[in-house]
Amino acid sequence: MTIVHTLASGSSGNALLLSCGESRILLDAGISCRRITAALRELGLEPGSLSAILITHTHADHISGLQTLLKRCDAPVLATERAGRELAWRLPAVEARLETLDFGGSRSIGECAVTAVPTSHDAPGSCGFRLDTEDGSVGVLTDTGYVTDEAADALLGVDLAVLEANHDVETLCSGPYPYYLKQRILGPQGHLSNADAACFAAALAESGASEIVLAHLSRENNTPAMAQTAVEQALSAAGAAPLLSVAPRDCLGPAHVVCRRSVCKR
């Protein structure tokens, strides 16, 4: 059985766990090691049980807990070549554990095949991931100004998608953020809006996704209700009805069981 849990999801910190057989893969470590450990223990796990740590990019809300976490486990750290260089510069202790992922190439981690896909974000070598197991496939796409062609090619057809719905454009534009920050978020190396997420969610559902989890919502420029409503409307217009939810910001999320649409019994 393949299960995905978000440990935290939002602009203040991100971490996600994929469990498949004996493999435990952590995607990002953007919350404290204490919080990661507490979330793992809720699942009956310890940091030492991690098989690998995947890093999407080097912004603090994705790596802030990594340095301390490395003292609690022996797991290798996998990132793209450019992100890995940046990571090693920021956290020298990572270098001895670092393994490079090539875009488009698949790497086996236990029962899971991991593929990095490029995103468009203002961080060197930023990426999303496709993870394939015998039970089905998972796509993780956050922190991107738009859905790159490579990400669309790789992720269309996944069974479970964890997809950024960072902001409502009107709320962001009328909100208190300074102009430069609004422009960064709205720009091609920023974050996906609810409308962008809705469009890609419909394409994901039409290509086979049986569940979509909305992630990385801004606390100031979005709400779970706004994000979910925007995506629900797009799914309805496309005649699609996958399971849809919003990942909790600051706590362990529910178990998302990965299964192919043809065998899912909801």
Side-chain angles (χ1 to χ4, degrees):
M1 181 179 293
T2 301
I3 301 175
V4 170
H5 290 88
T6 56
L7 310 188
S9 182
S11 300
S12 57
N14 298 271
L16 176 152
L17 182 75
L18 180 141
S19 301
C20 177
E22 297 301 313
S23 301
R24 307 283 184 266
I25 301 174
L26 185 71
L27 276 74
D28 287 333
I31 54 176
S32 69
C33 179
R34 177 184 58 79
R35 289 178 59 195
I36 291 171
T37 300
L40 292 175
R41 285 177 176 166
E42 284 191 56
L43 300 173
L45 303 171
E46 293 290 337
S49 64
L50 293 175
S51 307
I53 302 169
L54 307 182
I55 299 298
T56 59
H57 65 290
T58 56
H59 285 167
D61 59 323
H62 294 261
I63 65 166
S64 63
L66 182 59
Q67 182 164 325
T68 304
L69 181 61
L70 293 179
K71 301 174 183 178
R72 307 283 191 270
C73 72
D74 297 321
V77 177
L78 284 74
T80 67
E81 190 272 335
R82 287 190 66 202
R85 280 192 280 125
E86 178 78 5
L87 192 60
W89 179 77
R90 289 170 179 255
L91 303 174
V94 171
E95 191 164 9
R97 307 253 199 115
L98 198 56
E99 297 183 11
T100 298
L101 290 169
D102 296 323
F103 284 127
S106 179
R107 172 76 67 89
S108 293
I109 301 174
E111 300 93 330
C112 183
V114 176
T115 304
V117 298
T119 54
S120 179
H121 198 49
D122 54 356
S126 65
C127 71
F129 291 105
R130 175 173 175 140
L131 304 103
D132 289 279
T133 75
E134 289 187 357
D135 303 306
S137 52
V138 178
V140 179
L141 183 66
T142 66
D143 297 79
T144 189
Y146 63 92
V147 179
T148 64
D149 291 341
E150 297 90 341
D153 289 344
L155 300 185
L156 290 174
V158 298
D159 301 293
L160 168 65
V162 179
L163 176 64
E164 176 172 59
N166 177 258
H167 59 277
D168 172 76
V169 172
E170 183 177 344
T171 301
L172 172 63
C173 290
S174 62
Y177 277 12
Y179 178 77
Y180 80 88
L181 184 53
K182 292 178 182 180
Q183 292 302 108
R184 171 190 173 265
I185 293 168
L186 292 168
Q189 292 187 309
H191 292 275
L192 286 185
S193 68
N194 290 347
D196 293 331
C199 182
F200 192 52
L204 287 165
E206 290 176 326
S207 65
S210 58
E211 182 170 7
I212 297 171
V213 181
L214 303 180
H216 211 297
L217 273 67
S218 167
R219 188 189 302 272
E220 294 80 10
N221 303 306
N222 209 357
T223 67
M226 285 194 294
Q228 183 143 348
T229 296
V231 176
E232 282 177 345
Q233 289 174 348
L235 292 172
S236 178
L243 283 180
L244 179 66
S245 62
V246 177
R249 173 181 300 280
D250 296 317
C251 64
L252 177 68
H256 302 280
V257 179
V258 180
C259 61
R260 294 182 176 86
R261 175 175 285 184
S262 59
V263 298
C264 279
K265 295 181 179 179
R266 301 294 190 184

